[in-house]
Amino acid sequence: MSLPISHKPAVCSHMPVPPQFEGGMSPHELTHKALLSLEHKFSTMKHDDEIKVKAKSHVSLRKYQPQEEEPEQKAQHYKHEPKHEPKTHQHKTDEPSSTVSPTSSTKTSKLASTPSFTDVPTGTKPSRNTPIPPYSGIVDVDKPIIVKAGQTFDGHGMYYRPTKAMGDGSQNEHQQPVFILEPGATLKNVQYSGGDGIHLIGSGTLDNVVNRDIGEDAVTIDGEKNRLHDAKLSGMDVNDIPKGPAKVLIVNSKFYNGDDKVVQDNGDAEVLMKNVYVNGAGKLFRTNGGQPITTKLTVEDSTFENVKESLFRTDSKTSSAHFSNVDDGGMKVVALTPDASQITGTGKISYKPYTG
Ligand code: ADA
Ligand code: CA
Ligand code: CA
């Protein structure tokens, strides 16, 4: 943050030209069109695994279909529950500090099967000690940048740096997001920092985003309240948000220097984080404290260093996480859930009740 701050508007000449409206359609018509195509895309994913959605851009694609673990393995993870308790977080957070074991369960999980994703950009698992990548230039941002429904914003490696008007990057909850993605939007090749990070109103893709210095949090999957707020800022009608869980892809992305959360999940979602690197955070993914959120998180081929508390924390019995080929950097606890059956792919499971 040592570079001089200019007072350019959020949309300025250094930024990629925003997409133009097609064929004289109004923004509302265009949004409606994008949502229809998004709905079609997701219904295609659910009902017909053989149909692939057409590839956008140069990114090479492959189909993603994770395997469910056998129930026996789940039971084993539970037996391997760590004896050590995690250290209490040093920074101010909304989390309590006590730790207890999760309740045992022999019931078959009521959680839905692991979601499938198509159009997953390829990449590689990051190595330990990956330095913050260099940026190609700086754009000062003094109001949230909106990516409209179904559109792709390619930042070409520029650093979208929030000014003080957006917040001070602390744990203050009342800061502005640097980016707001409407449903079905993609953000790629972007660096950013501070404020309240990136907000996803609904489904969306983050590909090669780098947070150089996490603010209050780095990514928010909106719940009901955020949706109202963010939709107002973006100018979209909340009634146009597709129903059902948000499908969120976070790939080839890196997050540095956080105090608390990387992803704050305030609504039901199906999330794939793949080829992700974090160095410095309290936790990777937190469903909103005390809320009955139904989210399925999959973390694959990713590397975590200096994450102090956990990779996944929920108070909800209907959220779950699956880890595969993850380097946790030697953490004692990877997941904090009410029931150990909510987690697969790691035995490092514990529970911390939410105390408000
Ligand atoms: C905390 C806070 C929530 C919400 C969330 C967020 O969990 O208790 O009300 O603000 O952070 O979205 O950052
Ligand atoms: Ca918060
Ligand atoms: Ca936040």
Side-chain angles (χ1 to χ4, degrees), residues 253-324:
S253 293
K254 300 179 174 66
F255 303 91
Y256 296 87
N257 302 319
D259 286 342
D260 193 11
K261 301 156 194 168
V262 176
V263 181
Q264 167 76 36
D265 173 26
N266 294 335
D268 298 350
E270 294 174 351
V271 184
L272 172 63
M273 301 183 77
K274 188 176 172 72
N275 300 320
V276 164
Y277 179 75
V278 175
N279 197 334
K283 38 202 161 282
L284 173 69
F285 194 102
R286 174 70 162 118
T287 67
N288 203 359
Q291 298 304 307
I293 287 172
T294 301
T295 281
K296 292 194 71 71
L297 170 69
T298 302
V299 186
E300 281 190 350
D301 306 326
S302 294
T303 303
F304 303 100
E305 295 184 279
N306 304 306
V307 181
K308 297 180 198 81
E309 189 202 68
S310 62
L311 295 183
F312 178 69
R313 181 166 172 188
T314 189
D315 306 311
S316 168
K317 292 190 171 180
T318 55
S319 283
S320 63
H322 174 67
F323 298 92
S324 168

Side-chain angles (χ1 to χ4, degrees), residues 9-307:
V11 177
C12 73
S13 57
H14 292 88
M15 294 173 62
V17 180
Q20 300 299 310
F21 299 126
E22 296 167 2
M25 289 171 92
S26 72
H28 180 80
E29 286 167 324
L30 191 58
T31 301
H32 186 67
K33 192 181 154 198
L35 291 174
L36 282 178
S37 102
L38 187 75
E39 271 175 12
H40 170 74
K41 182 174 161 182
F42 287 154
S43 63
T44 300
M45 282 188 226
K46 264 190 200 145
H47 302 303
D48 188 348
D49 276 354
E50 294 316 304
I51 299 173
K52 274 196 193 174
V53 180
K54 191 171 160 283
K56 293 177 220 121
S57 81
H58 63 283
V59 188
S60 54
L61 307 172
R62 72 164 184 80
K63 201 155 77 164
Y64 170 79
Q65 183 72 66
Q67 299 300 308
E68 273 270 79
E69 273 199 317
E70 294 305 313
E72 286 75 17
Q73 284 174 280
K74 288 176 187 170
Q76 245 185 4
H77 295 318
Y78 191 50
K79 269 187 230 146
H80 291 153
E81 185 195 321
K83 291 192 175 60
H84 304 284
E85 297 198 341
K87 278 180 196 149
T88 305
H89 200 271
Q90 295 303 307
H91 298 274
K92 188 186 169 293
T93 73
D94 59 330
E95 311 300 353
S97 56
S98 67
T99 305
V100 299
S101 298
T103 54
S104 174
S105 172
T106 49
K107 277 180 281 174
T108 319
S109 175
K110 283 189 195 131
L111 302 163
S113 62
T114 307
S116 61
F117 287 85
T118 51
D119 279 7
V120 181
T122 55
T124 53
K125 181 179 177 179
S127 330
R128 284 197 183 185
N129 293 310
T130 300
I132 306 177
Y135 48 77
S136 57
I138 296 179
V139 178
D140 286 309
V141 179
D142 59 12
K143 62 180 184 199
I145 297 169
I146 314 297
V147 188
K148 299 301 285 179
Q151 302 285 349
T152 294
F153 182 105
D154 185 338
H156 301 285
M158 300 279 268
Y159 174 17
Y160 293 84
R161 184 179 61 179
T163 65
K164 288 199 173 109
M166 309 285 282
D168 60 5
S170 70
Q171 284 298 295
N172 183 335
E173 295 285 355
H174 304 287
Q175 300 181 63
Q176 299 255 57
V178 186
F179 289 93
I180 297 173
L181 272 62
E182 289 189 359
T186 294
L187 185 63
K188 65 190 232 184
N189 307 323
V190 156
Q191 298 214 8
Y192 71 116
S193 65
D196 209 57
I198 296 165
H199 283 199
L200 294 147
I201 292 179
S203 298
T205 296
L206 307 181
D207 180 11
N208 188 27
V209 304
V210 174
N211 192 319
R212 306 179 63 86
D213 189 9
I214 300 171
E216 202 280 310
D217 46 34
V219 176
T220 302
I221 299 168
D222 282 0
E224 228 173 296
K225 268 206 235 160
N226 308 97
R227 281 183 160 181
L228 282 176
H229 183 256
D230 289 341
K232 201 169 176 185
L233 285 175
S234 85
M236 81 172 286
D237 184 342
V238 277
N239 297 314
D240 287 342
I241 301 170
K243 306 284 174 255
K247 282 216 165 201
V248 175
L249 261 179
I250 303 175
V251 297
N252 306 323
S253 293
K254 300 179 174 66
F255 303 91
Y256 296 87
N257 302 319
D259 286 342
D260 193 11
K261 301 156 194 168
V262 176
V263 181
Q264 167 76 36
D265 173 26
N266 294 335
D268 298 350
E270 294 174 351
V271 184
L272 172 63
M273 301 183 77
K274 188 176 172 72
N275 300 320
V276 164
Y277 179 75
V278 175
N279 197 334
K283 38 202 161 282
L284 173 69
F285 194 102
R286 174 70 162 118
T287 67
N288 203 359
Q291 298 304 307
I293 287 172
T294 301
T295 281
K296 292 194 71 71
L297 170 69
T298 302
V299 186
E300 281 190 350
D301 306 326
S302 294
T303 303
F304 303 100
E305 295 184 279
N306 304 306
V307 181

